[in-house]
Amino acid sequence: MKKLVTSFKFIAVLSVLTFSSCSDDNNEITKQETVQAKITTADLKKETTPTSQAAPDVVQIQLSESQKNLEKYLNNDLQIAGVNVIGKISTQKGIELSQHLISNKDQFIAVGNLMDLSTVKLGRIGDLYTGDDLSTAQTGLKEMVTEEIKTGTNVMEVIWSNKNGKFTTLCFYNESGIIWDNVLGSLTIMDTRGTAEDSNAGATAKVASKWYKEWWTAKWLWGSKRGEAGYQITIYYTGSSVSNADVNDWSNISLGKAKSESKITKRTGAYGQCQYALGLCTPTGSLSFNASKFSVSFSGLGSNIVANGTKSLYP
């Protein structure tokens, strides 16, 4: 019996050692997550210098206009309940803490296009995003902080209220206005249909020309223009016969990602034709261009415009 007990002790010790060895890496990850989880707004405040308790007029106007658009499109389902100025970021550590705080999976974010309410979502980052989408969103937010948030940037908390209660987000700003906030920067007002414009044909010229352009616009939550993507096709013709055609495209967005491609698919004959592939999105998503399908696609979760198609233009 004694021999049996000794054997059992050996197995038990071996099991503990094996478990300990297998879980070393997991323990290290858990420690890192625990350390990160302890980072709070109070830690960020230690890396700031005091500033005016009132945000600049331009920021207050942007907050006011944002609230008006939330009331207009969301029927008061989400409201700004107040703000709490933290201070002016004064150290590199403050930037690093900001990077962590806005991308942490427990932080709140709102995404979507207010012109299409089916796309609007609100919740904690870790609840809205999983797997690769979570990595894309967190990386996009961290990269945005690295590029846009510098020492000297002001930061405040925005207090939000909805049917589930209250929550806060960090809002970064300077004298020119708001730079980023996970709600104010991720919710957008985007065209669901393109805006079109064309020229009058130059009938008096020996070789006349005619053009058509179409574009999609993205706006900040407070209403000012944030980005645009579009294309323009031009044909050159005599009578009813097209002798040449060309196309150009463009895309740009503040604090986001943009892509645009276009090509001529019919240059001469009865008409000219082009193909276009356009996209805009906020930092939490990504855009990719497929050359074989000649199309732009969006992945992740965030506000976005994607427009793929063809346009024929007749004399």
Side-chain angles (χ1 to χ4, degrees):
M1 186 71 181
K2 183 178 179 181
K3 185 175 183 181
L4 180 60
V5 172
T6 304
S7 177
F8 173 79
K9 287 180 179 177
F10 173 77
I11 293 172
V13 171
L14 179 61
S15 298
V16 171
L17 290 174
T18 304
F19 176 80
S20 176
S21 175
C22 291
S23 63
D24 279 349
D25 291 340
N26 289 335
N27 287 340
E28 184 60 31
I29 292 172
T30 302
K31 287 178 183 178
Q32 292 175 3
E33 291 178 344
T34 301
V35 170
Q36 288 184 339
K38 292 179 181 178
I39 298 174
T40 66
T41 303
D43 296 308
L44 176 59
K45 188 168 186 176
K46 295 175 184 176
E47 306 303 322
T48 65
T49 55
T51 186
S52 170
Q53 285 302 303
D57 289 345
V58 63
V59 173
Q60 295 189 45
I61 291 171
Q62 288 171 332
L63 291 172
S64 175
E65 292 302 312
S66 295
Q67 182 60 57
K68 290 178 184 177
N69 281 324
L70 289 172
E71 292 172 0
K72 177 181 178 180
Y73 294 104
L74 298 182
N75 297 318
N76 285 323
D77 284 347
L78 180 62
Q79 299 180 32
I80 298 173
V83 298
N84 175 33
V85 174
I86 295 173
K88 188 185 297 287
I89 298 174
S90 57
T91 66
Q92 178 61 35
K93 183 178 179 181
I95 297 174
E96 293 167 0
L97 292 177
S98 300
Q99 187 182 64
H100 168 80
L101 285 169
I102 71 162
S103 63
N104 185 280
K105 63 182 182 180
D106 291 326
Q107 295 297 309
F108 279 86
I109 193 168
V111 298
N113 178 10
L114 293 184
M115 299 290 284
D116 180 3
L117 295 184
S118 66
T119 67
V120 176
K121 294 178 174 61
L122 168 67
R124 297 183 189 276
I125 292 175
D127 293 333
L128 296 183
Y129 302 87
T130 58
D132 290 342
D133 288 346
L134 176 59
S135 298
T136 298
Q138 290 180 310
T139 299
L141 289 170
K142 289 176 181 177
E143 289 177 347
M144 183 276 302
V145 171
T146 300
E147 294 173 3
E148 304 294 335
I149 309 301
K150 311 295 182 183
T151 53
T153 298
N154 297 296
V155 58
M156 66 181 174
E157 284 183 314
V158 177
I159 305 164
W160 300 90
S161 175
N162 71 350
K163 61 184 179 181
N164 296 319
K166 292 184 177 181
F167 64 93
T168 62
T169 55
L170 287 178
C171 179
F172 301 89
Y173 62 96
N174 54 30
E175 294 301 318
S176 299
I178 293 171
I179 299 172
W180 182 260
D181 172 282
N182 278 2
V183 173
L184 297 169
S186 292
L187 284 178
T188 58
I189 303 170
M190 291 181 165
D191 293 337
T192 54
R193 298 181 61 181
T195 301
E197 183 181 350
D198 59 13
S199 65
N200 294 318
T204 58
K206 185 176 181 180
V207 177
S209 66
K210 183 179 181 180
W211 55 262
Y212 175 94
K213 70 177 179 179
E214 188 175 16
W215 67 95
W216 287 256
T217 302
K219 295 179 181 178
W220 290 99
L221 185 55
W222 49 87
S224 61
K225 186 175 178 180
R226 181 172 180 176
E228 183 180 285
Y231 70 93
Q232 178 174 316
I233 179 174
T234 303
I235 57 171
Y236 305 89
Y237 61 94
T238 303
S240 60
S241 178
V242 174
S243 58
N244 198 7
D246 59 47
V247 65
N248 62 79
D249 57 81
W250 63 92
S251 64
N252 59 80
I253 188 170
S254 298
L255 276 66
K257 299 163 188 176
K259 280 190 180 296
S260 62
E261 300 285 346
S262 64
K263 66 179 181 179
I264 291 294
T265 53
K266 182 173 174 56
R267 193 174 296 277
T268 61
Y271 61 92
Q273 186 182 73
C274 72
Q275 189 169 5
Y276 58 88
L278 312 168
L280 300 174
C281 74
T282 49
T284 52
S286 63
L287 297 168
S288 58
F289 174 68
N290 185 315
S292 61
K293 295 181 179 180
F294 207 85
S295 65
V296 167
S297 60
F298 170 80
S299 60
L301 184 67
S303 308
N304 69 93
I305 296 171
V306 171
N308 298 302
T310 60
K311 175 62 183 177
S312 300
L313 190 60
Y314 292 79

